[in-house]
């Protein structure tokens, strides 16, 4: 699993991913300079570091290089999420907590993604009782992992000054 990109690495990779074509140091520099003061050699060093880390490949063009992303931003984000999830000692609880942080739009995107991964022929859905039991088990596991998250969701449920 790759380490998360640093702030400047991310700014450079954002442009490489967005443009989706081989880019020069000069192109990245000129775009970055619209929002910050930065030197050519700094951008050149960042792109060289990204090449050494395997984020971009490069091809010589005259005395310079053209850099191209090795994978997509989506693949990078997926790898970060997978790494974080795999480090949990309770993956179901981690997912429940993560889903609880999502907006409705993000949850809909997740449902759409699950449909895409499952394909047109999905196995029969579990019996409602089995599904409810699995959801309850995941909820309980999440509550044991992070009771403070439950209190944040239900601030009125915390005891008041009298312990009620």
């Amino acid at each position: 699993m790759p380490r998360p990109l640093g702030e400047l690495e991310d700014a450079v990779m954002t442009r490489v991913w967005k443009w989706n074509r081989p880019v020069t140091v000069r192109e990245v520099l000129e775009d970055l300079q619209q929002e910050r003061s930065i030197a050519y050699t700094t951008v050149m060093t960042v792109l060289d570091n990204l090449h050494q880390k395997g984020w971009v490949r490069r091809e010589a063009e005259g005395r310079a290089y053209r850099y191209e992303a090795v994978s997509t931003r989506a693949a990078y984000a997926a790898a970060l999420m997978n790494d974080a999830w795999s480090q949990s000692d309770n993956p179901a609880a981690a997912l429940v907590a993560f889903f609880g942080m999502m907006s409705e739009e993000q949850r809909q995107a997740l449902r759409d993604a699950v449909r895409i991964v499952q394909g047109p022929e999905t196995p029969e859905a579990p019996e409602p009782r089995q599904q409810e039991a699995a959801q309850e088990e995941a909820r309980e596991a999440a509550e044991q992992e992070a009771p403070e998250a439950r209190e944040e969701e239900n601030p009125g449920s915390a005891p008041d000054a009298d312990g009620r």
Side-chain angles (χ1 to χ4, degrees):
M1 165 60 204
R3 286 182 327 116
L5 295 171
E7 188 254 330
L8 189 51
E9 290 174 326
D10 186 69
V12 169
M13 282 305 299
T14 294
R15 282 141 181 93
V16 175
W17 282 319
K18 181 175 76 174
W19 296 334
N20 196 27
R21 61 173 172 75
V23 300
T24 64
V25 171
R26 176 73 52 203
E27 289 174 307
V28 175
L29 171 72
E30 289 173 358
D31 200 59
L32 283 170
Q33 285 180 330
Q34 293 178 24
E35 58 189 51
R36 68 174 82 194
S37 175
I38 191 165
Y40 181 93
T41 53
T42 302
V43 177
M44 185 174 63
T45 299
V46 170
L47 279 163
D48 185 59
N49 290 343
L50 289 166
H51 174 256
Q52 290 177 26
K53 292 177 180 181
W55 287 104
V56 294
R57 64 180 145 260
R58 67 184 180 193
E59 192 171 311
E61 184 176 280
R63 293 178 20 202
Y65 288 108
R66 283 206 174 264
Y67 295 87
E68 186 173 18
V70 170
S71 67
T72 65
R73 180 177 277 286
Y76 166 67
L80 290 177
M81 289 187 288
N82 187 56
D83 186 54
W85 185 47
S86 68
Q87 291 183 32
S88 173
D89 60 348
N90 189 336
L95 284 173
V96 170
F98 179 62
F99 297 156
M101 295 177 198
M102 297 173 108
S103 68
E104 182 52 40
E105 184 178 286
Q106 290 169 322
R107 283 192 290 274
Q108 184 58 51
L110 176 64
R111 286 190 283 274
D112 294 344
V114 168
R115 274 190 224 104
I116 290 167
V117 170
Q118 287 179 337
E121 295 181 34
T122 58
E124 289 185 31
E127 293 294 320
R129 286 188 196 149
Q130 291 174 324
Q131 193 172 14
E132 288 172 15
Q135 288 172 343
E136 183 59 31
E137 183 180 318
R139 238 184 263 107
E140 287 173 4
E143 289 171 356
Q144 290 172 358
E145 283 286 313
E148 65 279 355
R150 211 175 58 249
E151 291 171 7
E152 288 175 12
E153 289 176 11
N154 302 314
S157 66
D160 62 15
D162 297 332
R164 292 182 273 173

